[in-house]
Amino acid sequence: MSIAFQQCINPDCSATYDVGQILTACPKCGSLLDVNYDWNAARVPMSLSEFEERWKSRLNPVDYSGVWRFRELLNFAREDQIVTIGEGQTILQKNDQLARQCHMQPGTLFLQYEGLNPSGSFKDNGMTAASTHARMVGATMTACASTGNTSASLAIYAGVTGHFRCIVFIGSGKIAFGKLSQALDYGARTIQIRGDFDDALARVRQICEKYPIYLCNSVNPFRLEGQKTIMYRILEGLGWEVPDWIVVPGGNLGNSSAFGKAFMELRMLGLINKVPRLAVINAEGAATLDDFWNVHGLRWNDGRPDSSLLESRYQKMDAANERASTLASAIEINRPVNLIKALRALDVCDGIVRKVSDQEIIDCRARIAATGFGCEPASGATIAGVMRLRHEGVISASDRVVCILTGHQLKDPDLTMAYHSADPALMAKKLTPAGVQHTPFANPPVVVDNTEKDIVAALGL
Ligand SMILES: *Cc1c(COP(=O)(O)O)cnc(C)c1O
Ligand SMILES: [Zn+2]
């Protein structure tokens, strides 16, 4: 008997469902679902440091995994059902160079570098959990819509494990080549539709409802269970101390939602004594959450957010054919599917939301990379957010701040090159349309004749 069950997050419904069911919304009321647990029947360690012990038995794949090492906190599968490819070997890194640039004290700023996952983004934390559930329910075909990284992640799990095949839906246009090439390379059946991410997700949800295909987008509640472990590893990296702030880019808001749930549960279990504050950073061109939170004052409100606000905003969006637009393609999303769960996370974590411009995003991406942590544009939003919040005085110089670097630099080399090349044609094509006028942190290659004299002159020797 499993101690886990699925449960509707709407407090006026709270319907529960078996973990053996494949659901992406509550059949009764249409709300999002959580995976919840009978914690009284669960064997949960007395203290978080017990999880560290697992490192000693690294030859056991579920102990080696940075996700399943914490399996008592996402206890929905039998150990022999777990699908793992060694995800979550990621590290918390103190970064005093960036701390200085953010006018913070040394030893206060940390990067959680999730680009080191097998497919190069944090998505693997969730996909190992969704893949495990897909296997539990005997799915042979899986699918997702993606701005890129979800498809790369699903494709690698399908490819490595051979447990199921996968289909990925992408919009036309802005998918970064690093990501698309992964899905193709790992053998995913790739369907490119005319439309953007929001269109692709609506379509794949419809198709998965009608045909026997298992949906792996972050409306899948099991995925978010895996993503909780990013927070556990951060606590582990801080010797089980809780930081003051977690800063994360906001796209579909799966991460934000998962982080809130992680802390809600740890507090309830008495495993932590304080909850960090959460700062979710939107791109200006895809700032639905920022708009709801800061302009319209939408709140979780004990599970009863003002849904009329949501409907009227989305109707307006459709009427104006308003589309998300940002260079940070991983967060180029106008209808974040986990919005309501993110409101809960912001409530639990006394959170805040900010939006930053593409100029700030790609400058900060370059600043992070210059300290040796290559990340993709969306991840740059974190440091851009910290700079804003330092300027506003919301984050203080001595606060301990952890930024989630969500994806690897090599996902989107075209944009990196456009930034560094100082080539006016590339700039005009890639950056200027997004409102990026300057590249103050560019490091262009120096072109010289192949003579010792010219090279020495160029080096200023
Ligand atoms: C998916 C993704 C995001 C957005 O995360 P959400 O959980 O959808 O908010 C941010 N950065 C990268 C690199 C991503 O792949
Ligand atoms: Zn319900």
PDB file of all heavy atoms in Angstrom, residues 17-39:
ATOM      1  N   TYR A  17      -7.049  11.108  -5.027  1.00  0.00           N
ATOM      2  CA  TYR A  17      -7.003  10.093  -6.080  1.00  0.00           C
ATOM      3  C   TYR A  17      -5.790   9.207  -5.839  1.00  0.00           C
ATOM      4  O   TYR A  17      -4.773   9.653  -5.292  1.00  0.00           O
ATOM      5  CB  TYR A  17      -6.894  10.763  -7.461  1.00  0.00           C
ATOM      6  CG  TYR A  17      -8.004  11.766  -7.715  1.00  0.00           C
ATOM      7  CD1 TYR A  17      -7.812  13.119  -7.451  1.00  0.00           C
ATOM      8  CD2 TYR A  17      -9.246  11.352  -8.194  1.00  0.00           C
ATOM      9  CE1 TYR A  17      -8.837  14.046  -7.650  1.00  0.00           C
ATOM     10  CE2 TYR A  17     -10.272  12.265  -8.403  1.00  0.00           C
ATOM     11  CZ  TYR A  17     -10.062  13.608  -8.128  1.00  0.00           C
ATOM     12  OH  TYR A  17     -11.074  14.504  -8.321  1.00  0.00           O
ATOM     13  N   ASP A  18      -5.896   7.985  -6.301  1.00  0.00           N
ATOM     14  CA  ASP A  18      -4.804   7.028  -6.165  1.00  0.00           C
ATOM     15  C   ASP A  18      -3.587   7.476  -6.988  1.00  0.00           C
ATOM     16  O   ASP A  18      -3.752   8.122  -8.030  1.00  0.00           O
ATOM     17  CB  ASP A  18      -5.297   5.670  -6.677  1.00  0.00           C
ATOM     18  CG  ASP A  18      -4.364   4.555  -6.277  1.00  0.00           C
ATOM     19  OD1 ASP A  18      -4.520   4.041  -5.157  1.00  0.00           O
ATOM     20  OD2 ASP A  18      -3.451   4.231  -7.077  1.00  0.00           O
ATOM     21  N   VAL A  19      -2.382   7.120  -6.539  1.00  0.00           N
ATOM     22  CA  VAL A  19      -1.194   7.463  -7.337  1.00  0.00           C
ATOM     23  C   VAL A  19      -1.120   6.641  -8.622  1.00  0.00           C
ATOM     24  O   VAL A  19      -0.359   6.971  -9.524  1.00  0.00           O
ATOM     25  CB  VAL A  19       0.149   7.294  -6.576  1.00  0.00           C
ATOM     26  CG1 VAL A  19       0.360   8.405  -5.582  1.00  0.00           C
ATOM     27  CG2 VAL A  19       0.257   5.942  -5.925  1.00  0.00           C
ATOM     28  N   GLY A  20      -1.927   5.606  -8.718  1.00  0.00           N
ATOM     29  CA  GLY A  20      -1.948   4.805  -9.939  1.00  0.00           C
ATOM     30  C   GLY A  20      -2.724   5.454 -11.065  1.00  0.00           C
ATOM     31  O   GLY A  20      -2.705   4.964 -12.192  1.00  0.00           O
ATOM     32  N   GLN A  21      -3.408   6.550 -10.768  1.00  0.00           N
ATOM     33  CA  GLN A  21      -4.168   7.231 -11.819  1.00  0.00           C
ATOM     34  C   GLN A  21      -3.286   8.232 -12.565  1.00  0.00           C
ATOM     35  O   GLN A  21      -2.399   8.845 -11.980  1.00  0.00           O
ATOM     36  CB  GLN A  21      -5.360   7.966 -11.209  1.00  0.00           C
ATOM     37  CG  GLN A  21      -6.557   7.067 -10.958  1.00  0.00           C
ATOM     38  CD  GLN A  21      -7.756   7.876 -10.473  1.00  0.00           C
ATOM     39  OE1 GLN A  21      -7.935   8.030  -9.266  1.00  0.00           O
ATOM     40  NE2 GLN A  21      -8.551   8.370 -11.384  1.00  0.00           N
ATOM     41  N   ILE A  22      -3.586   8.399 -13.847  1.00  0.00           N
ATOM     42  CA  ILE A  22      -2.874   9.397 -14.652  1.00  0.00           C
ATOM     43  C   ILE A  22      -3.763  10.626 -14.767  1.00  0.00           C
ATOM     44  O   ILE A  22      -4.767  10.611 -15.473  1.00  0.00           O
ATOM     45  CB  ILE A  22      -2.551   8.851 -16.053  1.00  0.00           C
ATOM     46  CG1 ILE A  22      -1.791   7.532 -15.960  1.00  0.00           C
ATOM     47  CG2 ILE A  22      -1.746   9.880 -16.848  1.00  0.00           C
ATOM     48  CD1 ILE A  22      -1.577   6.857 -17.305  1.00  0.00           C
ATOM     49  N   LEU A  23      -3.388  11.692 -14.066  1.00  0.00           N
ATOM     50  CA  LEU A  23      -4.218  12.898 -14.040  1.00  0.00           C
ATOM     51  C   LEU A  23      -3.329  14.127 -14.173  1.00  0.00           C
ATOM     52  O   LEU A  23      -2.209  14.145 -13.661  1.00  0.00           O
ATOM     53  CB  LEU A  23      -4.962  12.988 -12.698  1.00  0.00           C
ATOM     54  CG  LEU A  23      -5.924  11.851 -12.346  1.00  0.00           C
ATOM     55  CD1 LEU A  23      -6.314  11.936 -10.878  1.00  0.00           C
ATOM     56  CD2 LEU A  23      -7.149  11.909 -13.245  1.00  0.00           C
ATOM     57  N   THR A  24      -3.838  15.153 -14.844  1.00  0.00           N
ATOM     58  CA  THR A  24      -3.080  16.412 -14.871  1.00  0.00           C
ATOM     59  C   THR A  24      -3.934  17.555 -14.332  1.00  0.00           C
ATOM     60  O   THR A  24      -3.488  18.685 -14.287  1.00  0.00           O
ATOM     61  CB  THR A  24      -2.606  16.741 -16.297  1.00  0.00           C
ATOM     62  OG1 THR A  24      -3.728  16.678 -17.177  1.00  0.00           O
ATOM     63  CG2 THR A  24      -1.559  15.760 -16.759  1.00  0.00           C
ATOM     64  N   ALA A  25      -5.156  17.233 -13.916  1.00  0.00           N
ATOM     65  CA  ALA A  25      -6.029  18.205 -13.269  1.00  0.00           C
ATOM     66  C   ALA A  25      -7.076  17.412 -12.505  1.00  0.00           C
ATOM     67  O   ALA A  25      -7.298  16.229 -12.784  1.00  0.00           O
ATOM     68  CB  ALA A  25      -6.703  19.103 -14.307  1.00  0.00           C
ATOM     69  N   CYS A  26      -7.709  18.040 -11.536  1.00  0.00           N
ATOM     70  CA  CYS A  26      -8.751  17.363 -10.751  1.00  0.00           C
ATOM     71  C   CYS A  26      -9.958  17.094 -11.647  1.00  0.00           C
ATOM     72  O   CYS A  26     -10.530  18.024 -12.213  1.00  0.00           O
ATOM     73  CB  CYS A  26      -9.142  18.242  -9.574  1.00  0.00           C
ATOM     74  SG  CYS A  26     -10.522  17.585  -8.627  1.00  0.00           S
ATOM     75  N   PRO A  27     -10.353  15.823 -11.781  1.00  0.00           N
ATOM     76  CA  PRO A  27     -11.520  15.512 -12.626  1.00  0.00           C
ATOM     77  C   PRO A  27     -12.798  16.188 -12.115  1.00  0.00           C
ATOM     78  O   PRO A  27     -13.704  16.449 -12.892  1.00  0.00           O
ATOM     79  CB  PRO A  27     -11.634  13.989 -12.525  1.00  0.00           C
ATOM     80  CG  PRO A  27     -10.300  13.520 -12.082  1.00  0.00           C
ATOM     81  CD  PRO A  27      -9.723  14.614 -11.250  1.00  0.00           C
ATOM     82  N   LYS A  28     -12.858  16.487 -10.819  1.00  0.00           N
ATOM     83  CA  LYS A  28     -14.080  17.088 -10.283  1.00  0.00           C
ATOM     84  C   LYS A  28     -14.161  18.584 -10.567  1.00  0.00           C
ATOM     85  O   LYS A  28     -15.206  19.091 -10.962  1.00  0.00           O
ATOM     86  CB  LYS A  28     -14.162  16.872  -8.765  1.00  0.00           C
ATOM     87  CG  LYS A  28     -14.448  15.423  -8.398  1.00  0.00           C
ATOM     88  CD  LYS A  28     -15.078  15.312  -7.010  1.00  0.00           C
ATOM     89  CE  LYS A  28     -15.392  13.860  -6.690  1.00  0.00           C
ATOM     90  NZ  LYS A  28     -14.472  13.304  -5.677  1.00  0.00           N
ATOM     91  N   CYS A  29     -13.056  19.306 -10.325  1.00  0.00           N
ATOM     92  CA  CYS A  29     -13.177  20.771 -10.394  1.00  0.00           C
ATOM     93  C   CYS A  29     -12.163  21.405 -11.343  1.00  0.00           C
ATOM     94  O   CYS A  29     -12.188  22.617 -11.547  1.00  0.00           O
ATOM     95  CB  CYS A  29     -13.055  21.382  -9.002  1.00  0.00           C
ATOM     96  SG  CYS A  29     -11.384  21.381  -8.364  1.00  0.00           S
ATOM     97  N   GLY A  30     -11.246  20.631 -11.896  1.00  0.00           N
ATOM     98  CA  GLY A  30     -10.304  21.173 -12.872  1.00  0.00           C
ATOM     99  C   GLY A  30      -9.081  21.845 -12.278  1.00  0.00           C
ATOM    100  O   GLY A  30      -8.223  22.333 -13.012  1.00  0.00           O
ATOM    101  N   SER A  31      -8.978  21.886 -10.943  1.00  0.00           N
ATOM    102  CA  SER A  31      -7.807  22.529 -10.320  1.00  0.00           C
ATOM    103  C   SER A  31      -6.560  21.649 -10.474  1.00  0.00           C
ATOM    104  O   SER A  31      -6.653  20.481 -10.850  1.00  0.00           O
ATOM    105  CB  SER A  31      -8.058  22.768  -8.831  1.00  0.00           C
ATOM    106  OG  SER A  31      -9.150  23.613  -8.647  1.00  0.00           O
ATOM    107  N   LEU A  32      -5.418  22.232 -10.129  1.00  0.00           N
ATOM    108  CA  LEU A  32      -4.167  21.471 -10.136  1.00  0.00           C
ATOM    109  C   LEU A  32      -4.179  20.436  -9.015  1.00  0.00           C
ATOM    110  O   LEU A  32      -4.896  20.585  -8.026  1.00  0.00           O
ATOM    111  CB  LEU A  32      -2.980  22.418  -9.939  1.00  0.00           C
ATOM    112  CG  LEU A  32      -2.694  23.399 -11.078  1.00  0.00           C
ATOM    113  CD1 LEU A  32      -1.725  24.485 -10.605  1.00  0.00           C
ATOM    114  CD2 LEU A  32      -2.119  22.662 -12.287  1.00  0.00           C
ATOM    115  N   LEU A  33      -3.339  19.412  -9.184  1.00  0.00           N
ATOM    116  CA  LEU A  33      -3.219  18.368  -8.170  1.00  0.00           C
ATOM    117  C   LEU A  33      -1.849  18.408  -7.510  1.00  0.00           C
ATOM    118  O   LEU A  33      -0.868  18.793  -8.132  1.00  0.00           O
ATOM    119  CB  LEU A  33      -3.404  16.993  -8.823  1.00  0.00           C
ATOM    120  CG  LEU A  33      -4.782  16.729  -9.434  1.00  0.00           C
ATOM    121  CD1 LEU A  33      -4.723  15.475 -10.307  1.00  0.00           C
ATOM    122  CD2 LEU A  33      -5.839  16.585  -8.347  1.00  0.00           C
ATOM    123  N   ASP A  34      -1.810  18.013  -6.249  1.00  0.00           N
ATOM    124  CA  ASP A  34      -0.563  17.765  -5.528  1.00  0.00           C
ATOM    125  C   ASP A  34      -0.380  16.259  -5.384  1.00  0.00           C
ATOM    126  O   ASP A  34      -1.355  15.521  -5.393  1.00  0.00           O
ATOM    127  CB  ASP A  34      -0.679  18.284  -4.088  1.00  0.00           C
ATOM    128  CG  ASP A  34      -0.300  19.744  -3.940  1.00  0.00           C
ATOM    129  OD1 ASP A  34       0.502  20.246  -4.752  1.00  0.00           O
ATOM    130  OD2 ASP A  34      -0.804  20.363  -2.983  1.00  0.00           O
ATOM    131  N   VAL A  35       0.875  15.848  -5.176  1.00  0.00           N
ATOM    132  CA  VAL A  35       1.096  14.529  -4.609  1.00  0.00           C
ATOM    133  C   VAL A  35       1.280  14.754  -3.109  1.00  0.00           C
ATOM    134  O   VAL A  35       2.144  15.538  -2.698  1.00  0.00           O
ATOM    135  CB  VAL A  35       2.341  13.849  -5.205  1.00  0.00           C
ATOM    136  CG1 VAL A  35       2.529  12.467  -4.596  1.00  0.00           C
ATOM    137  CG2 VAL A  35       2.210  13.750  -6.721  1.00  0.00           C
ATOM    138  N   ASN A  36       0.444  14.130  -2.303  1.00  0.00           N
ATOM    139  CA  ASN A  36       0.547  14.268  -0.850  1.00  0.00           C
ATOM    140  C   ASN A  36       0.805  12.906  -0.205  1.00  0.00           C
ATOM    141  O   ASN A  36       0.704  11.870  -0.867  1.00  0.00           O
ATOM    142  CB  ASN A  36      -0.725  14.903  -0.271  1.00  0.00           C
ATOM    143  CG  ASN A  36      -0.715  16.417  -0.487  1.00  0.00           C
ATOM    144  OD1 ASN A  36       0.348  17.028  -0.585  1.00  0.00           O
ATOM    145  ND2 ASN A  36      -1.899  17.008  -0.576  1.00  0.00           N
ATOM    146  N   TYR A  37       1.116  12.931   1.081  1.00  0.00           N
ATOM    147  CA  TYR A  37       1.549  11.704   1.761  1.00  0.00           C
ATOM    148  C   TYR A  37       0.885  11.584   3.120  1.00  0.00           C
ATOM    149  O   TYR A  37       0.582  12.592   3.763  1.00  0.00           O
ATOM    150  CB  TYR A  37       3.085  11.725   1.937  1.00  0.00           C
ATOM    151  CG  TYR A  37       3.808  11.994   0.639  1.00  0.00           C
ATOM    152  CD1 TYR A  37       4.109  13.303   0.258  1.00  0.00           C
ATOM    153  CD2 TYR A  37       4.123  10.959  -0.233  1.00  0.00           C
ATOM    154  CE1 TYR A  37       4.730  13.567  -0.962  1.00  0.00           C
ATOM    155  CE2 TYR A  37       4.746  11.211  -1.447  1.00  0.00           C
ATOM    156  CZ  TYR A  37       5.048  12.519  -1.805  1.00  0.00           C
ATOM    157  OH  TYR A  37       5.662  12.777  -3.010  1.00  0.00           O
ATOM    158  N   ASP A  38       0.690  10.354   3.531  1.00  0.00           N
ATOM    159  CA  ASP A  38       0.281  10.108   4.908  1.00  0.00           C
ATOM    160  C   ASP A  38       1.561  10.119   5.743  1.00  0.00           C
ATOM    161  O   ASP A  38       2.214   9.100   5.927  1.00  0.00           O
ATOM    162  CB  ASP A  38      -0.424   8.752   4.992  1.00  0.00           C
ATOM    163  CG  ASP A  38      -0.784   8.394   6.423  1.00  0.00           C
ATOM    164  OD1 ASP A  38      -0.526   9.224   7.333  1.00  0.00           O
ATOM    165  OD2 ASP A  38      -1.308   7.290   6.630  1.00  0.00           O
ATOM    166  N   TRP A  39       1.906  11.308   6.223  1.00  0.00           N
ATOM    167  CA  TRP A  39       3.208  11.461   6.895  1.00  0.00           C
ATOM    168  C   TRP A  39       3.280  10.645   8.183  1.00  0.00           C
ATOM    169  O   TRP A  39       4.369  10.300   8.641  1.00  0.00           O
ATOM    170  CB  TRP A  39       3.504  12.940   7.174  1.00  0.00           C
ATOM    171  CG  TRP A  39       3.738  13.746   5.927  1.00  0.00           C
ATOM    172  CD1 TRP A  39       2.924  14.705   5.412  1.00  0.00           C
ATOM    173  CD2 TRP A  39       4.865  13.675   5.035  1.00  0.00           C
ATOM    174  NE1 TRP A  39       3.464  15.240   4.261  1.00  0.00           N
ATOM    175  CE2 TRP A  39       4.651  14.623   4.008  1.00  0.00           C
ATOM    176  CE3 TRP A  39       6.034  12.895   5.004  1.00  0.00           C
ATOM    177  CZ2 TRP A  39       5.550  14.819   2.960  1.00  0.00           C
ATOM    178  CZ3 TRP A  39       6.936  13.096   3.962  1.00  0.00           C
ATOM    179  CH2 TRP A  39       6.692  14.039   2.958  1.00  0.00           C
TER     180      TRP A  39
END
